[in-house]
Amino acid sequence: GTESGPLAGPTICLKLKRREAVAAALGGTALDDLAAREGDAPDLEAARRVNQLACGWQPPPSLCAARSTGEPLRLELTGDRELLDAPDGPLGNKGGLYIESRVRVAPAEGNPSVLRVTSPTITTPLVGVPEQFRAGHYMKVLSPWAGYAEAIE
């Protein structure tokens, strides 16, 4: 099974470099030194901010349209859902969990005119992993061209 919500829809899968890696590269600082100085905690709001940007690029037509009740439909972008290793699980690691994961889009409890959106993410460490896997931020976000209103009519 997947982690999809009742209204999982089209998404964009992104692989970005973490803010810390970009700052280290621009500032000429070693990533190891930066991690030792600032820590290595993941940013649990990154995908929420990208979802916010995606909605600004091109709001899905159905989100702009009024629902049959006359209430406009709006999105509530929640914090990210950082995937954790599950060595004994069917997929065995975060990579497999990410492949199977979906953006969760579900009506907010008690308010059907609000869709709650939660994105799955993986944040790779700044240190302690092979270079090609360091300082990555993988996320799935809403496609700005996806329509969700029809799914809850």
Side-chain angles (χ1 to χ4, degrees), residues 108-144:
E109 201 169 310
N111 191 348
S113 66
V114 174
L115 291 180
R116 182 168 287 142
V117 179
T118 307
S119 291
T121 63
I122 294 177
T123 306
T124 60
L126 301 175
V127 295
V129 295
E131 183 68 31
Q132 66 268 31
F133 301 116
R134 290 173 66 168
H137 202 124
Y138 301 81
M139 63 182 72
K140 293 182 181 181
V141 297
L142 290 176
S143 167

Side-chain angles (χ1 to χ4, degrees), residues 48-71:
R48 181 193 58 76
R49 288 192 302 274
V50 173
N51 274 320
Q52 211 166 20
L53 288 169
C55 289
W57 294 327
Q58 175 69 42
S62 60
L63 291 176
C64 299
R67 296 184 57 229
S68 58
T69 62
E71 292 181 63

Side-chain angles (χ1 to χ4, degrees), residues 19-132:
R19 171 189 56 79
E20 297 91 341
V22 173
L26 292 174
T29 306
L31 201 48
D32 294 343
D33 295 340
L34 185 74
R37 192 172 60 245
E38 296 186 16
D40 196 6
D43 178 354
L44 298 179
E45 296 289 318
R48 181 193 58 76
R49 288 192 302 274
V50 173
N51 274 320
Q52 211 166 20
L53 288 169
C55 289
W57 294 327
Q58 175 69 42
S62 60
L63 291 176
C64 299
R67 296 184 57 229
S68 58
T69 62
E71 292 181 63
L73 186 63
R74 67 180 183 83
L75 295 178
E76 176 184 296
L77 304 174
T78 67
D80 305 350
R81 180 171 53 96
E82 183 76 15
L83 301 174
L84 304 174
D85 279 326
D88 299 330
L91 301 170
N93 62 38
K94 287 193 246 189
L97 292 173
Y98 181 76
I99 291 167
E100 291 293 317
S101 69
R102 303 288 180 264
V103 172
R104 292 179 181 166
V105 181
E109 201 169 310
N111 191 348
S113 66
V114 174
L115 291 180
R116 182 168 287 142
V117 179
T118 307
S119 291
T121 63
I122 294 177
T123 306
T124 60
L126 301 175
V127 295
V129 295
E131 183 68 31
Q132 66 268 31

Side-chain angles (χ1 to χ4, degrees), residues 1-25:
T2 65
E3 290 282 337
S4 62
L7 305 178
T11 60
I12 299 172
C13 300
L14 301 173
K15 177 185 178 187
L16 307 170
K17 275 304 206 186
R18 288 177 57 180
R19 171 189 56 79
E20 297 91 341
V22 173

